[in-house]
Amino acid sequence: MLTRSLPGGTWTLGDLTVTRFGYGAMQLAGPGVMGPPADPDAALAVLREVVALGITHIDTSDAYGPHVTNRLIRAALHPYPEGLHLVTKVGATRDAQGGWPTAREPEQLRRAVEENLENLGVEALDLVNLRLGDATGPRACSLAEPLEALVALRRKGLIRHLGLSNVTPEQVTEAQSIAPIVCVQNLYNLAYRQDDALIDRLAGQGVAYVPYFPLGGFSPLQSAALSAVAARRDATPMAVALAWLLQRSPNILLIPGTSSVAHLRENVAGAGLTLTADDLAALDASGRCGPDRQKCP
């Protein structure tokens, strides 16, 4: 596929080269990530624009919908262009109320992998993230049993690479003692800096870190600092937040989601903003204020 210059360049996940600016498909499903989108044609157009822009990393899950986003991806893009990589996750399912109950028993994981394969229309999944914890965040527990179940599926040729989602640093360490891990996907943004040390550790190991919710949870003080930098640079707060993440560490991969072609283009352009040393210092100081960091003077 044609790869255009995108903010941040590229990163290698195992033997997969992907653009650091990727796309998260979750918002293509209906309200609450349940059911079909209101405008399926618009959803298909977004996915085709992702490829047209040169993005080679699409993040999805068969739990989205459920089945909706994977089927949209297949309808829009199959047969997939060479160089496009689909990253999915397993470990949670959906209930009738729209909840996300865990599904990490070996048989549940096998079924989830098979459903991802079928709905995406592929013989092997490029990368599967094991989702731990719950909707409130990571939970301390051993991941050995579910990860070993995915390792067995990888040995059968159904999975190429493994990653983790919604995990603690200790779980990352445990996982790395079981199998090679090529990425970690956690909540992280300018306001939530709890994974700073983990990001730096993974960067030293050549492991990607994929933050979700790149703009959210800001205190009034943090929002004011973000808005001030955005105003000074004649940019949106989202553009500044995405640009800050790309410049925070070279192993950070972005997967902002949208159901709008125009918004997708805005995100790409915004992430290309080059922040100055003064911008970065102001944002870093504001991001370290709050209940889980030291208080600002």
Side-chain angles (χ1 to χ4, degrees):
M1 65 183 290
L2 175 64
T3 301
R4 301 180 181 177
S5 177
L6 287 163
T10 60
W11 183 265
T12 301
L13 297 166
D15 61 352
L16 311 175
T17 299
V18 299
T19 51
R20 287 182 64 207
F21 190 99
Y23 172 73
M26 186 172 72
Q27 292 187 30
L28 294 183
V33 202
M34 290 289 285
D39 188 343
D41 288 339
L44 296 175
V46 169
L47 288 163
R48 290 171 181 141
E49 182 66 11
V50 165
V51 172
L53 290 170
I55 293 169
T56 62
H57 172 198
I58 296 179
D59 180 86
T60 186
S61 172
D62 213 52
Y64 298 162
H67 315 306
V68 169
T69 61
N70 280 357
R71 290 172 180 170
L72 286 169
I73 290 168
R74 181 174 184 173
L77 303 176
H78 194 277
Y80 301 111
E82 184 179 357
L84 177 66
H85 298 296
L86 307 177
V87 176
T88 190
K89 65 177 67 63
V90 297
T93 186
R94 307 305 302 277
D95 58 29
Q97 293 72 44
W100 299 82
T102 60
R104 296 194 287 266
E105 294 299 320
E107 178 57 26
Q108 292 174 313
L109 294 171
R110 182 193 62 77
R111 185 164 59 250
V113 166
E114 290 175 348
E115 288 174 347
N116 274 280
L117 289 166
E118 178 181 356
N119 287 316
L120 288 171
V122 296
E123 295 182 356
L125 299 170
D126 283 336
L127 196 164
V128 174
N129 286 315
L130 172 62
R131 183 185 186 273
L132 296 172
D134 54 33
T136 65
R139 290 289 175 265
C141 67
S142 173
L143 51 64
E145 183 180 30
L147 183 60
E148 287 168 355
L150 293 181
V151 169
L153 294 172
R154 190 188 63 181
R155 291 195 188 105
K156 291 182 178 180
L158 302 181
I159 299 171
R160 294 179 66 185
H161 299 287
L162 296 170
L164 304 170
S165 179
N166 203 32
V167 291
T168 67
E170 292 75 21
Q171 287 168 329
V172 176
T173 300
E174 181 186 15
Q176 290 176 322
S177 73
I178 297 170
I181 300 298
V182 301
C183 70
V184 172
Q185 187 181 104
N186 274 1
L187 169 62
Y188 181 84
N189 57 41
L190 186 61
Y192 285 92
R193 303 286 299 276
Q194 70 282 356
D195 273 356
D196 273 339
L198 177 60
I199 289 171
D200 295 340
R201 167 185 145 194
L202 294 175
Q205 298 171 342
V207 176
Y209 184 93
V210 187
Y212 56 83
F213 295 143
L215 187 64
F218 284 75
S219 70
L221 182 62
Q222 291 164 332
S223 293
L226 184 64
S227 296
V229 172
R232 186 162 66 241
R233 303 306 308 279
D234 192 24
T236 66
M238 175 58 100
V240 173
L242 292 175
W244 178 81
L245 283 168
L246 276 184
Q247 293 172 62
R248 162 65 180 83
S249 182
N251 66 323
I252 288 183
L253 311 184
L254 301 184
I255 51 167
T258 180
S259 58
S260 159
V261 168
H263 189 208
L264 172 65
R265 292 171 180 162
E266 289 172 6
N267 284 343
V268 172
L273 177 68
T274 300
L275 300 172
T276 67
D278 287 344
D279 294 336
L280 294 170
L283 293 169
D284 189 65
S286 71
R288 295 176 184 275
C289 302
D292 60 342
R293 316 290 292 198
Q294 69 268 25
K295 297 292 184 181
C296 288

